[in-house]
């Protein structure tokens, strides 16, 4: 019996994805939009891309494929023309001899199908997938640099890019594509691709499976490529060394360097660290995009960092004190320095002199004197801080307290009428106090000058483009320290992964903080070396909200996900009731 042809609207109504009166609405809108039924319905929000893909599959008697369940073969994607994948929204699923099985969002795009068949010179069969899922796999599985990796096997002769009059190497996607040396093309396209994906670092790691390139985006590493053959490791590292003016013959000791490039009209600094490992040398390239930093600084406020109104009020009171010490603590990359700059930006006036001593000074702030530490030349934090005090500052920022001498000078500065901002590596506000006391400081002097301690972490924010509700199992809630009964009415969210977030589900980060404001009761307990449990009780009475609680607030507000805060903070032993 021949199949009865049904219109797309009928199929969507039968599937329960569309109401009959919405069909009329879409048809009316089509008269003015000039777009087809599917695109118009998506624009109006009548159904989603998954509903549309399932209806198209039924309409054309094709199989629907869920790319969240069925994973495309990345090795097969290497053999497929990447330009066609990106241009036409097609990804290969399988291959049986000459026959290619492809996933496509719009099987009515006959021009695209003709181009694919001509490029492959082979027969194809189609399966229909949601457009957003195809795009997610294109972003995750086929980055710009993948093509350079494929071509790198043909020729491994490294070439040096020509420097311009300013000593800056010029990079652009067009130049990377035009470069003839595969290794140079690989590095150039990797740098361009990393910037496109908002990466802060590029990791090139050698191991038993080969060479892997990873990006760190919003504090989390993910693979940018499949592993390369280990024979690529030497030429890749040599190319990076040449760009950074390092010794390519030295492979036994670590080396640090830097280079500068101009990409898309922006001047960007790259800091390079080379480290010998068991399988050869590894490299980490830190990306310092001054254009983005300057833009961030112009809008740098404590509110923009994610401080809620409760903590914002308490912290602002601390930073407006006439003297004393404000400590910010957290692991590397938790945004400590950014928070201090936001604080300095809020309190800066031309009537007061603010001097910072940092290692290194990564970006300039208008109106503030910034001193870079140079330990090779003898300018340590302690020595620099002594000199800073002779320049009659009102407020001082010490990038990091690493030793007892610097700690002692900072405390004396706070006791003699200066407001001192500084950072210390510690896990929470009470660990900071222990670290200072173990440096040999007198407890009375230390707590007398200490105004408050802020512990900070950064959590990734769910992408607005692919945010969706998620339901967690009871066991997962209990493992996360939550009572399921209390959170049964809370709507949790996660990011599905889309083009905007490059398949990660998150875009940007927000600060969670734990703020300890010193009062007389806390000072007496610290001097008496009271147990941490007693300090926590008094801190809570004084208004401190601890990191895990602050993180849960962000989850309930829909800013971040429960899995993200489990990655960043410790789960409380007792479930929240």
């Amino acid at each position: 019996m021949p199949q009865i042809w049904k219109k797309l609207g009928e199929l969507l109504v039968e599937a329960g994805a569309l109401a009959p009166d919405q069909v009329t609405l879409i048809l009316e809108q089509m008269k003015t939009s000039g777009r087809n039924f599917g695109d118009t319905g998506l624009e109006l929000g009548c159904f989603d891309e998954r509903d549309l893909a399932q209806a198209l599959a039924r309409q054309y008697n094709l199989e629907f494929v869920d790319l969240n369940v069925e994973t495309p073969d990345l090795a097969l994607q290497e053999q497929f023309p990447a330009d066609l994948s990106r241009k036409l929204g097609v990804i290969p699923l399988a291959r049986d001899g000459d026959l290619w099985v492809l996933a496509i969002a719009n099987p009515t795009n006959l021009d695209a199908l003709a181009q694919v068949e001509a490029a492959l010179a082979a027969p194809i069969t189609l399966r229909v997938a949601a457009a957003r899922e195809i795009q997610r796999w294109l972003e995750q599985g086929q980055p710009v640099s993948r093509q350079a990796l494929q071509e790198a096997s043909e020729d491994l002769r490294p070439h040096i890019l020509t420097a311009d009059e300013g000593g800056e190497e010029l990079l652009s996607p067009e130049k990377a594509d035009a470069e003839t040396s595969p290794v140079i093309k690989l590095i150039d396209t990797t740098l361009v691709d990393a910037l496109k994906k908002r990466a802060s670092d590029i990791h090139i790691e050698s191991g038993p499976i080969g060479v892997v390139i990873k990006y760190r985006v919003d504090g989390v590493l993910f693979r940018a490529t499949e592993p390369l053959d280990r024979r690529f490791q030497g030429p890749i590292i040599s190319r990076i060394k040449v760009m950074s003016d390092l010794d390519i013959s030295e492979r036994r000791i670590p080396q640090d360097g830097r280079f500068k490039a101009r990409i898309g009209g922006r001047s960007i600094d790259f800091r390079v660290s080379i480290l010998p490992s068991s399988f050869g040398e590894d490299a980490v390239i830190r990306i310092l995009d001054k254009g983005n930093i300057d833009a961030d600084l112009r809008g740098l406020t404590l509110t923009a960092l994610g401080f809620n109104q409760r903590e914002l009020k308490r912290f602002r009171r601390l930073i407006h004190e006439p003297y004393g010490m404000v400590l910010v603590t957290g692991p590397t990359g938790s945004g400590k320095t950014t928070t201090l700059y936001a604080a300095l930006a809020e309190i800066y006036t031309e009537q007061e002199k603010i001097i910072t001593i940092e290692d290194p000074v990564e970006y300039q702030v208008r109106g503030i004197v910034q001193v870079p530490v140079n330990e090779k030349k003898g300018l340590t934090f302690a020595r620099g801080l002594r000199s800073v005090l002779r320049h009659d500052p009102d407020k001082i920022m010490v990038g990091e307290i690493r030793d007892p001498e610097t700690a002692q000078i900072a405390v004396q500065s706070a006791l003699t009428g200066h407001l001192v901002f500084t950072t210390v590596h510690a896990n929470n506000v009470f660990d900071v106090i222990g670290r200072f006391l173990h440096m040999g400081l007198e407890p009375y002097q230390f707590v007398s000058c200490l105004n408050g301690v802020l512990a900070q972490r950064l959590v990734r924010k769910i992408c607005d483009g692919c945010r969706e509700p998620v339901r967690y199992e009871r066991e997962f809630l209990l493992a996360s320290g939550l009572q399921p009964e209390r959170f049964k009415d809370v709507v949790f969210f996660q990011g599905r992964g889309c083009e905007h977030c490059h398949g990660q589900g998150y875009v940007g980060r927000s600060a969670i903080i734990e703020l300890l404001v010193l009062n007389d009761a806390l000072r007496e307990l610290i001097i008496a070396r009271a147990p941490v449990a007693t300090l926590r009780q008094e801190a809570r009475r004084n208004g401190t909200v601890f990191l895990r609680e602050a993180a849960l607030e962000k989850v309930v507000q829909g800013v971040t996900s429960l899995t993200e805060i489990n990655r960043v903070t410790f789960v409380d032993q007792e479930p929240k009731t």
Side-chain angles (χ1 to χ4, degrees), residues 142 146 229 255 269 303 372 375 383 471 520 524 541:
Q142 191 76 22
R146 181 70 59 84
D229 193 283
Q255 297 187 66
D269 286 322
T303 306
E375 295 194 357
R383 186 173 178 180
R471 181 172 295 279
D520 291 339
E524 290 175 5
R541 280 195 293 269

Side-chain angles (χ1 to χ4, degrees), residues 131-194:
R132 63 169 181 256
E133 294 175 9
I134 290 177
Q135 186 60 44
R136 174 170 60 85
W137 276 103
L138 287 175
E139 292 292 340
Q140 287 182 322
Q142 191 76 22
V144 176
S145 57
R146 181 70 59 84
Q147 292 303 295
L149 303 182
Q150 204 166 354
E151 295 169 12
S153 60
E154 301 170 6
D155 186 0
L156 294 177
R157 296 172 297 169
H159 295 270
I160 301 173
L161 287 176
T162 304
D164 71 357
E165 293 178 358
E168 297 184 354
E169 293 193 348
L170 304 176
L171 287 179
S172 68
E174 294 76 18
K175 185 180 189 305
D177 288 340
E179 180 58 55
T180 55
S181 170
V183 171
I184 293 178
K185 184 174 181 179
L186 164 63
I187 300 300
D188 290 357
T189 51
T190 297
L191 296 177
V192 172
D193 190 41

Side-chain angles (χ1 to χ4, degrees), residues 362-383:
E362 293 191 356
Y363 41 81
Q364 302 293 323
V365 180
R366 182 182 59 84
I368 295 177
V369 179
Q370 297 171 271
V371 181
V373 165
N374 189 339
E375 295 194 357
K376 291 182 180 179
K377 300 295 185 180
L379 180 55
T380 61
F381 272 112
R383 186 173 178 180

Side-chain angles (χ1 to χ4, degrees), residues 68-89:
N68 291 317
V69 177
E70 184 169 333
T71 304
D73 187 344
L74 292 179
L76 200 60
Q77 282 185 258
E78 295 280 1
Q79 306 169 29
F80 194 81
D83 56 339
L84 285 182
S85 278
R86 290 194 296 269
K87 180 181 176 183
L88 305 176

Side-chain angles (χ1 to χ4, degrees), residues 55-302:
L56 285 169
R58 288 181 59 198
Q59 189 178 37
Y60 288 92
N61 198 26
L62 298 172
E63 186 178 348
F64 171 78
V65 58
D66 184 349
L67 296 182
N68 291 317
V69 177
E70 184 169 333
T71 304
D73 187 344
L74 292 179
L76 200 60
Q77 282 185 258
E78 295 280 1
Q79 306 169 29
F80 194 81
D83 56 339
L84 285 182
S85 278
R86 290 194 296 269
K87 180 181 176 183
L88 305 176
V90 179
I91 56 174
L93 297 175
R95 189 175 183 182
D96 185 6
D98 290 335
L99 179 67
W100 287 79
V101 180
L102 307 178
I104 190 169
N106 183 10
T108 66
N109 190 345
L110 300 181
D111 288 340
L113 299 180
Q115 289 183 55
V116 172
E117 281 191 301
L120 295 176
I124 62 173
T125 185
L126 299 178
R127 298 169 74 181
V128 184
R132 63 169 181 256
E133 294 175 9
I134 290 177
Q135 186 60 44
R136 174 170 60 85
W137 276 103
L138 287 175
E139 292 292 340
Q140 287 182 322
Q142 191 76 22
V144 176
S145 57
R146 181 70 59 84
Q147 292 303 295
L149 303 182
Q150 204 166 354
E151 295 169 12
S153 60
E154 301 170 6
D155 186 0
L156 294 177
R157 296 172 297 169
H159 295 270
I160 301 173
L161 287 176
T162 304
D164 71 357
E165 293 178 358
E168 297 184 354
E169 293 193 348
L170 304 176
L171 287 179
S172 68
E174 294 76 18
K175 185 180 189 305
D177 288 340
E179 180 58 55
T180 55
S181 170
V183 171
I184 293 178
K185 184 174 181 179
L186 164 63
I187 300 300
D188 290 357
T189 51
T190 297
L191 296 177
V192 172
D193 190 41
L195 283 165
K196 174 187 171 186
K197 289 182 169 60
R198 303 180 303 106
S200 61
D201 302 85
I202 302 168
H203 290 239
I204 299 172
E205 302 175 354
S206 305
I209 61 172
V211 181
V212 175
I213 299 176
K214 299 178 181 178
Y215 299 153
R216 186 179 294 279
V217 179
D218 293 330
V220 177
L221 283 173
F222 70 92
R223 280 191 184 184
T225 67
E226 290 301 299
L228 289 170
D229 193 283
R230 285 182 60 187
R231 63 196 173 102
F232 299 146
Q233 183 264 345
I236 290 172
I237 298 298
S238 294
R239 168 61 187 160
I240 294 171
K241 286 182 177 179
V242 167
M243 296 172 72
S244 311
D245 198 22
L246 299 177
D247 185 355
I248 62 173
S249 64
E250 180 56 72
R251 301 179 181 177
R252 296 163 296 179
I253 62 173
Q255 297 187 66
D256 294 315
R258 62 191 304 161
F259 64 93
K260 184 178 290 187
R262 206 162 57 239
I263 303 176
R266 307 195 326 255
S267 180
I268 299 170
D269 286 322
F270 297 88
R271 290 187 178 166
V272 176
S273 178
I274 307 291
L275 185 69
S277 70
S278 301
F279 296 94
E281 292 176 295
D282 288 3
V284 174
I285 304 173
R286 167 65 58 87
I287 302 172
L288 299 173
D289 187 346
K290 290 183 178 179
N292 280 350
I293 290 171
D294 291 341
D296 291 343
L297 285 175
R298 284 193 292 271
L300 185 61
T301 65
L302 295 170

